Amino acid sequence: MNVDSQHYGKKMFFDILTLFPAMFSGVFSDSIISRAIKKGLISVDLHDIRSYSDDERHKTVDDYPYGGDAGMVLKPEPLARAITDARSRFCDFAPKVIYLSPRGEVLRQEIIEELLEEKALILLCGRYKGIDERICERYVDREISIGDYVLSGGEIAAMTIIDAMARLIPGVLGNRESAEADSFYRGLLSHPEYTRPEIFEDMKVPDVLLSGHHANILRWQREKAVEITKLRRPDLWAKYKTTETNNEK
Ligand code: 4FV
């Protein structure tokens, strides 16, 4: 399947290089991502790195690390073949190669919005101790981490990125979901949400939300978003204030 930008339209292409393609079936066969795939708004192709091994018998893709560390490292040759093959599927534009690793930039909503500018992404999922560094030097455009903890593989990080991107593609979210009220949407954490019943156990929905007074409701929601952001994420509040003052200028 060769893709050239004419046929691209607004569709987003994800090529995933992994040793465990089956891990993705659940995530891609239900809810947001499956809907986006069905609507043709995103396409996801899974490629088993093992199929790029040059060792017919054992399909070896990893080896012992130089320097004697414990654990195994993914060999460069199968990865280089897998990336080159994935790139060859896109005729007139070069998809960005993203390596998911704890050494990468820690993922934030802004990075998700940046990645949405791309037409296609090749998501490289590491395993074991990681991949041969020469692949990072020559084939990887960006290293991204989903957080300062160690996963058993990059697959869940790849799913995280695709989910966070898919829901921002126009037409993916139904009216049940809305990105507008998201946390981080305006740089603040989201305000508390309530639904029926008005009284649950002995807890009542705040009166202002029952008032129908739109301006008061908006003010309450903003005050709550600020209050929670200050309390739980002073780092976000500090950043928000600077952006706010800059916007006022
Ligand atoms: C990870 C992260 C992550 C490291 C060793 C896979 C594992 C194994 N990826 N954000 N945090 N990867 O822990 O993206 O190869």
Side-chain angles (χ1 to χ4, degrees), residues 208 212-221:
V208 63
H213 191 300
H214 199 51
N216 289 357
I217 290 170
L218 279 181
R219 188 178 314 106
W220 178 87
Q221 289 175 333

Side-chain angles (χ1 to χ4, degrees), residues 39-54:
K39 286 184 175 177
L41 295 167
I42 69 171
S43 96
V44 180
D45 287 297
L46 293 160
H47 307 282
D48 188 337
I49 295 168
R50 214 171 279 289
S51 61
Y52 293 91
S53 168
D54 51 15

Side-chain angles (χ1 to χ4, degrees), residues 122-193:
I122 295 171
L123 301 175
L124 174 55
C125 304
R127 275 276 155 175
Y128 318 126
K129 287 184 67 60
I131 69 176
D132 186 289
E133 185 65 18
R134 292 165 285 187
I135 294 295
C136 299
E137 281 158 24
R138 180 160 295 169
Y139 290 84
V140 168
D141 297 299
R142 198 167 186 179
E143 276 193 52
I144 293 178
S145 167
I146 62 167
D148 297 341
Y149 40 80
V150 180
L151 303 168
S152 58
E155 285 77 11
I156 291 170
M159 296 172 196
T160 303
I161 287 184
I162 296 174
D163 185 283
M165 290 178 69
R167 59 189 302 289
L168 294 180
I169 294 174
V172 170
L173 287 187
N175 48 24
R176 248 191 168 73
E177 305 103 354
S178 74
E180 272 62 39
D182 279 357
S183 282
F184 313 110
Y185 182 71
R186 290 190 195 79
L188 292 173
L189 297 180
S190 57
H191 55 74
E193 300 284 2

Side-chain angles (χ1 to χ4, degrees), residues 103-119:
R103 295 188 324 183
E105 304 159 67
V106 177
L107 189 61
R108 305 183 319 283
Q109 195 68 10
E110 290 97 332
I111 293 179
I112 293 293
E113 282 146 19
E114 279 169 28
L115 293 175
L116 273 168
E117 299 312 308
E118 302 296 332
K119 296 182 179 184

Side-chain angles (χ1 to χ4, degrees), residues 217-240:
I217 290 170
L218 279 181
R219 188 178 314 106
W220 178 87
Q221 289 175 333
R222 179 171 162 62
E223 281 159 7
K224 280 294 178 184
V226 168
E227 180 193 313
I228 289 166
T229 307
K230 278 182 180 171
L231 201 62
R232 299 186 188 183
R233 294 292 305 277
D235 59 314
L236 274 181
W237 175 242
K239 206 164 86 191
Y240 177 78

